Amino acid sequence: MDDDSSSDEDRLHIFQEEYAVDDEAWTVLFESSSSEEEELRVDRPRTANKRRDFVDAYMRVVSNYFNGRESIYNEVDFERRLRCPRAVFNRVHDHLMGTPPFEQYKDPTGKPGIYPLVKLVGCFRFIAYGDTYDRDDENLCIGETTLRDYVKQFARLVIVAFGPQYLNRAPNKQERQVISQEMGERLFPGCLGSWDCKHFAWKNCPVRLAGQHQGHAEGGKKTLILEAICDHRKYIWHANFGDPGSMNDINVLDRSSIVGSMLSGDACLKTDPYQINGTMRDWMYYLVDGIYPDWAIFVSTYTNSPNPKERSFAEEQEKVRKDIECSFGVLVQRFHVLQRPLRQWFLDEIKDVLYCCIILHNMITEEKNGALDEANNPEKSRGNFPLFGRQQITRHEAAQDQVSLFAARVAQFDNMMQSSYEHFKLKKDLVEHISSLKE
């Protein structure tokens, strides 16, 4: 055993000398905290271990992607296979390294276990390709159950580390100004973005839940619903996931934590005053399809209208509203774990993976398109998770939140946000506004 341990350490030392990277940033990437005495904790009966070479797997990963200019695969290959730019991967790496399970462990004989970098790459590749957990065992030397545990903890750690900034956060004042200006150039001043729902097929839906999760979408398969809001950059500001697939957009809206956050004040709709067709307004609104109710915050389209002005408005509204459809498409094409039928058995695990994908999607969008000048804005944005600021809650707390949500709806039922008069007045003003700009 001692000879094997010594041999592994010698091989690793030779490898590090051979592939030494001059750039300090790359050197920092491989630094991770170690625990000399701690063993890998196992909570289930174990079978005979396979003879996996963890040092060789680490060497292979480093030489493939993390050896600077000497890497076998370039930045294009890296982004295509891990579904994120190097800068985003490095941010996640820096936050997670040193946090269990992304630590370096050794067995009782002193031999190193799976390296933290290899664990992280395994998690990224799982959500990128959506294959079974043992798909990369030959390459990364990570067993099926081991990678499953890593992915569960990876998703939760990403939510904790980046959720307040990239998940269910209301845009601050300066961000609302930038979005409103951009949407004004697209003929919809004051608009924050598009609002819609998407169904995800749940392959391993428990039999006892099959009835409520089977609906019209995905050919009658069992599904889970994602309700989301995105802006012109395809950045997803708010997301509410987990409603049964038998529901439609109206049912989802009735119990939406997004609406709840608006009623509670966590998601502020106020913005700088803007003018449409001579009418001044100071709240933001969303573009939706025809199934949504006639609220002041919603602007839907016209169907088969004989009025030329309304047809012109419908054309522009449907064109801009496709942002949310495009955002859903980018999300599932980037992370194939969402494109394939969901294999997890437990809803909490599925939620964590989906919210993790949304966070990474937003980080990538920000990296490629630039932040909305948030770094220089002293106003702190508020972050909250459904329902009302908590991601992990007990069943009793969830019931209390539902009671609070219902009370808030009753109290705000006659609020301007749900005014049908303001809804039709806003649509009429937008019709005239777009018509005048096109003449």
Side-chain angles (χ1 to χ4, degrees), residues 352-389:
D352 287 342
V353 171
L354 183 130
Y355 286 140
C356 174
C357 291
I358 290 178
I359 290 172
L360 294 175
H361 166 83
N362 286 342
M363 294 174 68
I364 296 168
T365 301
E366 182 182 87
E367 174 67 23
K368 292 188 174 183
N369 298 294
L372 297 180
D373 203 20
E374 179 188 4
N376 299 323
N377 191 356
E379 178 186 348
K380 292 184 179 180
S381 301
R382 305 177 65 180
N384 62 297
F385 299 112
L387 299 164
F388 299 117

Side-chain angles (χ1 to χ4, degrees), residues 310-428:
E310 293 179 354
R311 288 202 304 268
S312 178
F313 163 81
E315 179 182 349
E316 296 299 329
Q317 193 269 2
E318 293 167 9
K319 183 192 305 182
V320 178
R321 196 191 67 82
K322 290 302 179 183
D323 287 344
I324 186 64
E325 305 291 351
C326 183
S327 181
F328 288 148
V330 170
L331 185 67
V332 300
Q333 288 296 328
R334 176 173 284 149
F335 303 113
H336 285 188
V337 69
L338 304 178
Q339 186 183 54
R340 301 170 183 268
L342 302 169
R343 294 191 181 95
Q344 291 89 343
W345 289 93
F346 302 104
L347 182 58
D348 288 343
E349 294 181 19
I350 299 175
K351 283 185 176 182
D352 287 342
V353 171
L354 183 130
Y355 286 140
C356 174
C357 291
I358 290 178
I359 290 172
L360 294 175
H361 166 83
N362 286 342
M363 294 174 68
I364 296 168
T365 301
E366 182 182 87
E367 174 67 23
K368 292 188 174 183
N369 298 294
L372 297 180
D373 203 20
E374 179 188 4
N376 299 323
N377 191 356
E379 178 186 348
K380 292 184 179 180
S381 301
R382 305 177 65 180
N384 62 297
F385 299 112
L387 299 164
F388 299 117
R390 293 189 291 273
Q391 175 65 15
Q392 301 296 333
I393 59 178
T394 66
R395 183 174 299 179
H396 174 71
E397 290 174 323
Q400 292 298 318
D401 275 341
Q402 291 289 356
V403 172
S404 301
L405 184 60
F406 177 76
R409 292 187 197 285
V410 172
Q412 298 288 340
F413 185 78
D414 293 327
N415 189 277
M416 184 277 299
M417 187 183 82
Q418 297 176 321
S419 170
S420 60
Y421 171 79
E422 292 292 343
H423 166 82
F424 290 109
K425 181 68 168 63
L426 176 59
K427 282 182 68 172
K428 181 179 179 181

